[in-house]
Amino acid sequence: MNNSTAGNIAPLAVETRSLAKSFGNYKALRGVDLCVPTGTTLAILGPNGAGKTTLIKLLTGIMRPTNGKILIDGLEMKDHAQMVRSCIGLVAHQSYLYSNLTAWENLDFYARMYGVEKREKRILEMLKLVGLEAYRYTRFSTFSRGMQQRMSLARALLHSPSILLLDEPETGLDQQGLGAIWDILRYEGAARTIIFASHNFERALAVCDDIVILERGRIVYHEHSCNLDLVGLQQKYVEFTQVVKS
């Protein structure tokens, strides 16, 4: 499959070819081939240690692959790293925000770095989106874990990225943050391509176009969500991973 608008083939926002990552003798990813059409949402499921976080970090450019290629909107990441990174927003376990700055100062720093137009208006929009407008002048270090994760979402969306990557975005989130994140996944799927790693099967089925299961660094299952129900997905997960039903 290639990045083409010919016929009914949708252009690819994200493509990986034989993607591999090793840490010494440990192979975290073992030849991952992935095609994510523009404007679709993909869930990556898999047990701990399957390689989900490694894959997300490679797609953002935080890590470099040992082998293989990553193409973002048809551009190979290693040749167009700066341009590619400007297209991507990331919500991960690490906030990438500064504890000694206020919420506003943090977003203003990133807005300047990304060259966001109408900076103050956009910052305010993001703070409203995640329910933290009232805390705009509060130091980030005083925020609860849930508030910090909501700020990560605001940072990730600040520059209007075409691709949003989320690594287990529900971790540490409070109810308000969960609502904000899943509203974006549900209602903005057509506006941006979304890839998220998760353990939540129900969420994956509710918001995703496609679901893959990653096991020991390989994609072992890939299906359209419309062809699955919760029981069917759970059965496939058990079948294709080393997870045993309790």
Side-chain angles (χ1 to χ4, degrees):
M1 189 171 186
N2 52 39
N3 196 335
S4 171
T5 55
N8 295 319
I9 301 175
L12 297 179
V14 176
E15 181 180 5
T16 69
R17 301 174 184 171
S18 303
L19 191 64
K21 179 64 178 179
S22 297
F23 300 95
N25 293 325
Y26 176 69
K27 296 180 179 180
L29 291 181
R30 304 164 181 258
V32 171
D33 294 313
L34 192 63
C35 295
V36 186
T38 299
T40 63
T41 300
L42 173 73
I44 303 170
L45 306 178
N48 291 335
K52 300 187 300 297
T53 294
T54 299
L55 178 56
I56 294 291
K57 287 183 175 181
L58 289 173
L59 294 179
T60 61
I62 293 174
M63 287 182 181
R64 292 185 178 181
T66 304
N67 289 298
K69 293 183 178 182
I70 301 170
L71 292 91
I72 304 295
D73 289 332
L75 299 175
E76 191 167 350
M77 178 170 282
K78 72 180 182 64
D79 297 327
H80 305 275
Q82 186 172 352
M83 185 182 300
V84 163
R85 285 175 185 146
S86 68
C87 300
I88 293 172
L90 170 67
V91 178
H93 299 286
Q94 185 177 343
S95 70
Y96 298 104
L97 293 164
Y98 297 94
S99 60
N100 61 325
L101 300 181
T102 66
W104 186 280
E105 288 168 340
N106 265 295
L107 295 185
D108 187 59
F109 169 80
Y110 279 99
R112 290 173 185 272
M113 187 173 73
Y114 282 110
V116 174
E117 296 182 1
K118 298 181 180 178
R119 203 168 64 248
E120 293 187 0
K121 179 182 178 184
R122 183 63 178 167
I123 291 170
L124 189 57
E125 286 174 351
M126 291 300 96
L127 289 172
K128 286 181 177 179
L129 177 69
V130 299
L132 292 173
E133 181 186 5
Y135 297 90
R136 69 183 86 173
Y137 302 127
T138 303
R139 197 178 297 272
F140 181 73
S141 60
T142 68
F143 284 4
S144 68
R145 171 61 181 160
M147 292 169 71
Q148 290 181 4
Q149 193 73 337
R150 281 191 270 152
M151 272 292 296
S152 294
L153 177 60
R155 172 194 48 72
L157 293 171
L158 185 65
H159 58 296
S160 301
S162 60
I163 299 168
L164 184 61
L165 304 175
L166 305 106
D167 187 9
E168 297 183 11
E170 294 182 322
T171 303
L173 271 177
D174 51 22
Q175 285 303 119
Q176 192 169 5
L178 282 172
I181 246 184
W182 296 119
D183 281 348
I184 287 163
L185 290 175
R186 189 178 295 110
Y187 298 120
E188 296 195 14
R192 53 174 56 92
T193 305
I194 299 170
I195 301 174
F196 72 94
S198 179
H199 293 287
N200 192 322
F201 294 1
E202 292 181 73
R203 291 288 191 187
L205 287 170
V207 303
C208 286
D209 300 291
D210 289 273
I211 293 172
V212 301
I213 297 175
L214 199 63
E215 166 68 348
R216 296 187 178 183
R218 300 183 189 275
I219 292 178
V220 293
Y221 181 76
H222 186 176
E223 185 57 272
H224 301 306
S225 61
C226 61
N227 295 330
L228 293 165
D229 58 19
L230 182 58
V231 172
L233 178 56
Q234 290 171 333
Q235 290 174 342
K236 291 297 182 183
Y237 188 83
V238 172
E239 177 184 349
F240 284 98
T241 70
Q242 302 301 310
V243 175
V244 179
K245 286 184 177 178
S246 57

